[in-house]
Amino acid sequence: MLAKAETLIEALPYFQRYAGCTFVVKYGGHAMGDPEAAKDFAQDIVLLKAVGINPVVVHGGGPQIGAMLKKLGVESTFVDGLRVTDKATAEIAEMVLSGAINKELVGWIAAAGGKALGISGKDGGLVTARKVTRTTKDPDSNIEQAIDLGFVGEPARIDTTILETANKAGIIPIVAPIAAGEDGHTYNINADTMAGAIAAAIGAARLFLLTDVTGVLDKQGKLLTDLTPADIAKLKADGTVAGGMIPKLDTCVQAVEAGCEAAVVLDGRVGHAMLLEFFTSRGAGTLIRKGE
Ligand code: ADP
Ligand code: MG
């Protein structure tokens, strides 16, 4: 009994310090597979809200989109290892992200006793997308060539009104990484990128990125517990971080440079990962802070 009381008291300074603050939490597509972990995650979010913190959840869904494309027999083309999002793929991405996954999370929040609002970047003009332009270098001639990834976007403009309105009403926003472009087309945005842009725009105190690894790992696979933007630049340059970890760390850098106190990459497969990370003196993931 005493241990329980001590655990709660240990969390008290955190409750006091962060009441009224906004936390942006990205729940990764790869971390979402397990219903038990999803339940724990939803309880953590509802607890944050109950102690006066305003969580905003942004979710991914890459693996689920891949599975649905396969089920429906929609073939994808790849350029440089990146999936080209043609019109059919964008429609399926919206269906899976804004439909299935978003509403499933809303349901988990309700089951944990919270109230959630499932939206995408389209709703309330939250995010307006611009088409992503990527280039590749031809190894022979060294000439840069533009690659067309189709309807892949990045946030161009953000209006956080809908999030603030929901927060004030005691409702937790759950955001799918889909947005309309100025051209009216539907764009799929990397969920990490979307979460970082929202965190910066709303002035979040913390950014949590829940994924399927214990954190950022070094070349030997050992967990790196603390990183600064300068460390991250080095890890990118020497190839220690690759793939989906790149947009995650870019997002962390963007968030801390925009004034977010800290960003954390942590293992969403572990039950109550976020709670343990936040309400105890030191969690288990990678903490990113602006260096001195
Ligand atoms: P999510 O669905 O959570 O966005 P991603 O697959 O996009 O997950 O990104 C996480 C992945 O990044 C890890 O599973 C891992 O394969 C990859 N990765 C690349 N470099 C690193 C690194 N240095 N440390 C940890 N993970 C890394
Ligand atoms: Mg990813």
Side-chain angles (χ1 to χ4, degrees):
M1 282 310 276
L2 201 57
K4 235 179 228 164
E6 272 166 12
T7 308
L8 283 167
I9 295 302
E10 193 188 338
L12 179 60
Y14 298 93
F15 292 171
Q16 289 168 320
R17 181 147 174 233
Y18 292 98
C21 293
T22 301
F23 285 7
V24 173
V25 183
K26 190 267 178 154
Y27 196 38
H30 289 99
M32 285 186 310
D34 174 23
E36 277 314 306
K39 227 187 232 171
D40 290 349
F41 170 76
Q43 285 176 334
D44 289 7
I45 294 292
V46 171
L47 189 141
L48 288 178
K49 189 72 183 169
V51 300
I53 293 165
N54 295 312
V56 173
V57 178
V58 180
H59 61 83
Q64 293 84 341
I65 295 167
M68 186 58 79
L69 288 171
K70 207 170 155 201
K71 207 171 181 177
L72 298 179
V74 176
E75 300 276 342
S76 297
T77 49
F78 291 83
V79 183
D80 258 11
L82 299 166
R83 191 198 298 277
V84 176
T85 304
D86 58 11
K87 192 100 192 152
T89 305
E91 270 171 23
I92 291 165
E94 182 168 37
M95 179 174 106
V96 170
L97 291 166
S98 259
I101 298 179
N102 189 274
K103 300 309 165 193
E104 191 183 322
L105 276 173
V106 170
W108 286 121
I109 298 285
K115 278 189 209 148
L117 172 69
I119 58 175
S120 79
K122 287 183 177 179
D123 297 281
L126 175 58
V127 177
T128 306
R130 93 161 71 81
K131 188 177 160 76
V132 164
T133 46
R134 277 214 178 82
T135 55
T136 181
K137 252 200 188 121
D138 180 69
D140 299 324
S141 62
N142 240 357
I143 291 172
E144 290 237 339
Q145 283 177 314
I147 347 182
D148 189 355
L149 293 176
F151 296 102
V152 176
E154 60 191 7
R157 267 185 296 119
I158 299 202
D159 178 345
T160 57
T161 310
I162 192 166
L163 302 180
E164 279 144 20
T165 306
N167 286 345
K168 270 191 222 119
I171 297 169
I172 302 161
I174 313 285
V175 185
I178 292 281
E182 252 153 15
D183 55 9
H185 286 300
T186 298
Y187 287 86
N188 190 182
I189 296 176
N190 176 283
D192 294 309
T193 308
M194 183 112 162
I198 289 174
I202 205 166
R206 293 263 168 159
L207 172 70
F208 292 99
L209 303 176
L210 277 72
T211 184
D212 66 342
V213 276
T214 50
V216 185
L217 309 174
D218 69 12
K219 280 221 156 102
Q220 283 71 45
K222 224 177 103 250
L223 179 71
L224 297 163
T225 56
D226 294 85
L227 294 174
T228 62
D231 298 330
I232 289 170
K234 271 184 228 145
L235 293 173
K236 278 174 68 178
D238 73 10
T240 306
V241 297
M245 196 48 75
I246 294 177
K248 247 178 254 307
L249 292 180
D250 286 345
T251 284
C252 292
V253 170
Q254 181 196 7
V256 296
E257 285 184 341
C260 187
E261 268 173 28
V264 193
V265 177
L266 73 167
D267 196 343
R269 299 166 307 176
V270 175
H272 301 297
M274 199 173 28
L275 219 58
L276 293 172
E277 174 69 38
F278 184 66
F279 292 121
T280 59
S281 346
R282 188 66 188 91
T286 302
L287 185 73
I288 293 108
R289 279 190 213 258
K290 212 170 167 181
E292 298 313 313

